[in-house]
Amino acid sequence: MKAMILIPTYNEATSVVELLQSLGKLREAGELDFDVTIIDDNSPDKTAEVVESLALDWVSVLKRSKKDGLGNAYRAGFARVLDQDRYDQIVTMDADGSHRVADLPAMFAAISPGKSIVLGTRWIPGGSVVNWPKSRQLLSKSGTKYASIALGIKLADLTGGFRIYSRQLLESLNLGKMDATGYCFQIEMALAAHLAGATSREVPITFVERINGVSKMSRAIVIEALIQTTRWGVKRRLRPNADKLHYVK
């Protein structure tokens, strides 16, 4: 089994170097076999050029012309990976250090055969967050609770982005028909995996709020997630079969 780790970036020149150093140590330990693709949205701080200057043969850079949303970045990464036949698992991971490399072995150990998704989860026993105010924790927990009820998906962390998707799952989805661009992309992918009948496993992780750089979270992103989730929930109740056909090939 070989994995590809997709890491979207926008002005992450410092943090992504630190992350790649940590991933390099894990890779050298020989427990996991993976490569990395940095998906850069034309960062003004030259993130792509900084990564290329490291000359790591297991790291490639997918350069995009502009900042175009998290969902579009990941879909571009999925398309590149699925065009190759070398990778069985696709990991999504933040560049800012909030997703710990130390949690990857447990997540890989939870992979199931066939169509599957492994979710790094903050809100189950063993999971935790570091440096988050109570207000941010409440927003995240409330968002997941609302999405879980609206969409009928019994998962404890629908908004987290630290995940592993099997190739079989991604190949079964109509990725080109998905349109979420912000963090509600994570909710849409969880919904699509659920409709595709994928095996879902949640692994507790420690989420660490970034120390360097600027968070990409904004009020507009939160509003988009609320509106989209409500729309998906209504559609599921009115036309459940049509909703499945939209996402699953």
Side-chain angles (χ1 to χ4, degrees):
M1 181 177 66
K2 185 160 186 160
M4 173 61 78
I5 300 178
L6 300 178
I7 304 174
T9 57
Y10 185 76
N11 285 346
E12 299 287 1
T14 300
S15 59
V16 76
V17 171
E18 296 173 356
L19 175 58
L20 290 174
Q21 289 172 342
S22 297
L23 286 170
K25 293 176 182 178
L26 179 64
R27 200 171 183 274
E28 290 170 5
E31 296 181 14
L32 301 175
D33 187 13
F34 60 83
D35 293 332
V36 172
T37 295
I38 302 298
I39 309 166
D40 187 68
D41 280 3
N42 198 22
S43 297
D45 73 350
K46 305 297 183 183
T47 298
E49 288 75 7
V50 169
V51 172
E52 288 176 332
S53 72
L54 299 175
L56 301 171
D57 61 6
W58 48 277
V59 178
S60 60
V61 180
L62 173 55
K63 296 181 180 179
R64 291 170 15 100
S65 61
K66 62 180 180 179
K67 188 179 182 189
D68 191 31
L70 183 71
N72 288 326
Y74 271 132
R75 283 187 286 268
F78 291 157
R80 172 180 277 198
V81 176
L82 295 178
D83 277 343
Q84 308 170 39
D85 59 3
R86 292 184 292 165
Y87 303 102
D88 303 303
Q89 307 294 331
I90 296 87
V91 182
T92 60
M93 188 175 191
D94 288 352
D96 59 13
S98 57
H99 296 154
R100 302 189 312 162
V101 173
D103 288 322
L104 273 172
M107 291 177 65
F108 273 99
I111 291 172
S112 302
K115 291 188 291 187
S116 66
I117 177 175
V118 176
L119 302 97
T121 303
R122 297 160 288 187
W123 313 122
I124 59 175
S128 62
V129 296
V130 177
N131 297 331
W132 255 20
K134 293 293 184 180
S135 59
R136 187 74 181 273
Q137 294 185 44
L138 179 61
L139 177 63
S140 179
K141 290 179 180 179
S142 300
T144 279
K145 187 67 175 178
Y146 177 72
S148 178
I149 293 172
L151 302 177
I153 303 175
K154 295 180 179 180
L155 292 172
D157 196 347
L158 287 170
T159 61
F162 199 9
R163 298 176 176 180
I164 304 176
Y165 301 95
S166 71
R167 182 186 191 92
Q168 292 97 318
L169 172 57
L170 293 184
E171 287 180 335
S172 73
L173 300 179
N174 290 316
L175 296 170
K177 292 186 177 181
M178 298 184 189
D179 56 7
T181 57
Y183 283 86
C184 65
F185 161 78
Q186 313 295 0
I187 300 174
E188 186 174 36
M189 286 298 295
L191 172 60
H194 174 75
L195 292 171
T199 300
S200 300
R201 292 189 177 180
E202 297 186 278
V203 175
I205 63 167
T206 297
F207 180 93
V208 183
E209 175 66 347
R210 66 184 304 145
I211 297 174
N212 300 311
V214 178
S215 173
K216 309 300 189 298
M217 181 61 71
S218 67
R219 180 179 297 180
I221 289 174
V222 174
I223 293 173
E224 180 204 14
L226 177 61
I227 293 173
Q228 289 276 48
T229 301
T230 301
R231 180 168 63 87
W232 294 329
V234 171
K235 286 177 63 179
R236 284 210 69 194
R237 281 160 175 74
L238 296 178
R239 301 178 63 196
N241 291 332
D243 191 46
K244 181 174 181 178
L245 291 173
H246 175 77
Y247 286 113
V248 184
K249 292 179 181 177

